[in-house]
Amino acid sequence: MFVVMARTASEAEILGVKSHILAEGMTPFDHEGSERTVIAVVGEVGPRKQELMSRLSGLPGVEQVTPISRPFKLTSREFHPEDTVIRVLDAVIGDGGLTMMAGPCSVETRDQLMETADAVAAAGATILRGGAFKPRTSPYSFQGLGVEALRYLAEARDRTGLPVITEVMEPNQVDIIAEYADIVQIGTRNMQNYSLLNAVGRVARPVMLKRGYGATIEEWLMAAEYIVSSGNPNVILCERGIRTFETYTRNTLDLSAVPLLHHLTHLPVIVDPSHATGKRWLVKPLAIGAVAVGADGVMVEVHPDPDAALSDAEQQLTLDQFRELMTELVPVKEHTRGLHRDPVLAGSELGIGGSGAGLSKH
Ligand code: PEP
Ligand code: MN
């Protein structure tokens, strides 16, 4: 449930509601909407829900108490109708513009990263990607350069101005990765690694959470809920394909997830057609499709010499292919900007979400 405070509610009244929630053994999360404060009540409420709702609605400064129908709460549109917009250095994610995350699958050498970083920055990428700690299916495959790669990523950020994103695989790597990287990525294999989700929930960096290759959209949003409820509201979702019976592609890209997620959650949505398809020539059409259905951005793998790459050689774009992709994607974003925003998402007349089943004082 969430508590909608009156427009005129004082600080003391807001504090009073929060301490009442704590005294009930629940956790309050407030969200300052454009016009008023809304406080989510999170925890195992059980059979006392109705009673708690009516007690909260009687407190001073409370306008309305509304249940949240979804199992994910803080990430739901019901609680937070406005889109979450994430700013990191000069990049803005989720504001209606096109976020382009590009760079190699793995950081292999300093030269390879700098050449890629310069080229993607010049072509219009907004965020630089590069794997330092790599989750590889085989223990005999290249596992990444580790901290050496983090240093190169930080150097590439300093020379291009682009924020950098890299994957974290274990809770004990979170601090070192957050020291070098601007955005922390959770890979598909770790989407339900709850100790890792809690650990990135405590870090002062945005987190990009990739969809588990066997996860439903609800499981994915519950994983995002772990991060947000641990204290980090800056979560980006990344659809990267799910495993189906199809074998021509590495995974099956679920583009329906994009408008669905915009309906269910306020978090920004990125699509990764590189890992979804596993094939270089399929990256461009699916990137265009992703932007056309309303993705906030795209993540693609780019390498100066993809055939010689130490990981994911078949799916990385050449520098030229990335430049061409950019020139085609920008007009698609311009044509489709705002097209997919469902009017029911605009919220109720209270300006806070619209389930309407709330307990009102009036
Ligand atoms: C990656 O982006 O480097 C990666 C390993 O992707 P995924 O977790 O989607 O396989
Ligand atoms: Mn890869």
Side-chain angles (χ1 to χ4, degrees):
M1 73 189 75
F2 59 91
V3 179
V4 182
M5 299 303 295
R7 245 178 271 256
T8 52
S10 67
E11 274 305 309
E13 286 168 338
I14 294 171
L15 270 177
V17 171
K18 291 211 261 186
S19 41
H20 191 97
I21 294 167
L22 284 169
E24 294 278 353
M26 310 284 284
T27 311
F29 279 91
D30 53 333
H31 156 54
E32 269 178 50
S34 45
E35 293 170 13
R36 58 183 80 233
T37 296
V38 182
I39 307 168
V41 184
V42 176
E44 201 69 72
V45 65
R48 53 195 176 114
K49 187 168 170 187
Q50 281 307 325
E51 194 191 315
L52 181 58
M53 279 179 73
S54 57
R55 258 207 304 277
L56 288 171
S57 62
L59 294 179
V62 172
E63 172 107 12
Q64 183 174 309
V65 182
T66 305
I68 303 178
S69 62
R70 315 273 183 200
F72 44 91
K73 308 291 179 191
L74 304 175
T75 54
S76 74
R77 275 281 180 202
E78 286 169 277
F79 168 56
H80 188 305
E82 316 85 28
D83 288 338
T84 284
V85 177
I86 298 174
R87 286 165 219 279
V88 34
L89 303 184
D90 289 338
V92 189
I93 307 152
D95 68 336
L98 177 65
T99 294
M100 279 305 290
M101 302 185 179
C105 176
S106 303
V107 176
E108 299 169 3
T109 63
R110 184 182 170 280
D111 285 353
Q112 169 245 17
L113 183 66
M114 301 309 154
E115 186 181 354
T116 313
D118 290 348
V120 299
T126 56
I127 294 170
L128 177 66
R129 68 150 283 148
F133 296 93
K134 295 300 300 177
R136 302 306 301 282
T137 303
S138 165
Y140 309 120
S141 302
F142 177 59
Q143 304 284 310
L145 294 182
V147 177
E148 185 185 347
L150 296 179
R151 285 196 214 104
Y152 297 151
L153 284 166
E155 183 184 342
R157 173 199 36 236
D158 294 345
R159 73 194 253 156
T160 61
L162 297 185
V164 298
I165 178 169
T166 197
E167 178 167 351
V168 61
M169 294 201 297
E170 291 175 35
N172 65 15
Q173 292 171 341
V174 171
D175 287 344
I176 182 95
I177 286 178
E179 191 182 320
Y180 289 97
D182 304 290
I183 306 175
V184 174
Q185 175 172 321
I186 304 271
T188 192
R189 295 161 183 82
N190 275 312
M191 190 206 81
Q192 285 181 316
N193 179 340
Y194 298 117
S195 51
L196 187 58
L197 299 176
N198 284 328
V200 297
R202 292 189 288 267
V203 85
R205 292 275 178 275
V207 175
M208 188 166 88
L209 178 65
K210 290 191 135 192
R211 181 178 187 176
Y213 55 78
T216 64
I217 287 174
E218 192 161 295
E219 287 164 342
W220 186 13
L221 288 170
M222 294 308 286
E225 190 81 10
Y226 266 84
I227 304 173
V228 179
S229 64
S230 294
N232 190 343
N234 295 316
V235 177
I236 303 156
L237 299 166
C238 177
E239 162 62 42
R240 49 76 70 204
I242 48 177
R243 186 165 284 182
T244 67
F245 48 79
E246 182 52 66
T247 53
Y248 276 115
T249 47
R250 187 174 176 185
N251 292 282
T252 296
L253 183 60
D254 179 11
L255 281 187
S256 59
V258 176
L260 246 171
L261 286 169
H262 284 320
H263 182 80
L264 294 170
T265 180
H266 48 89
L267 299 174
V269 182
I270 300 288
V271 170
D272 171 355
S274 302
H275 292 90
T277 63
K279 289 184 164 63
R280 193 169 306 144
W281 63 276
L282 281 173
V283 169
K284 184 167 82 176
L286 289 165
I288 290 171
V291 172
V293 296
D296 296 289
V298 174
M299 169 182 262
V300 290
E301 290 187 337
V302 183
H303 192 288
D305 182 7
D307 290 329
L310 297 181
S311 58
D312 289 348
E314 292 106 86
Q315 70 193 34
Q316 304 208 53
L317 301 180
T318 63
L319 306 181
D320 275 343
Q321 285 171 326
F322 179 72
R323 284 187 271 269
E324 190 190 311
L325 174 65
M326 281 307 297
T327 60
E328 297 202 24
L329 273 187
V330 170
V332 179
K333 187 71 194 176
E334 266 149 30
H335 272 86
T336 54
R337 190 191 289 254
L339 259 189
H340 305 281
R341 291 310 200 230
D342 180 340
V344 302
L345 303 182
S348 70
E349 75 264 18
L350 285 175
I352 50 90
S355 92
L359 270 185
S360 173
K361 274 181 125 170
H362 309 292

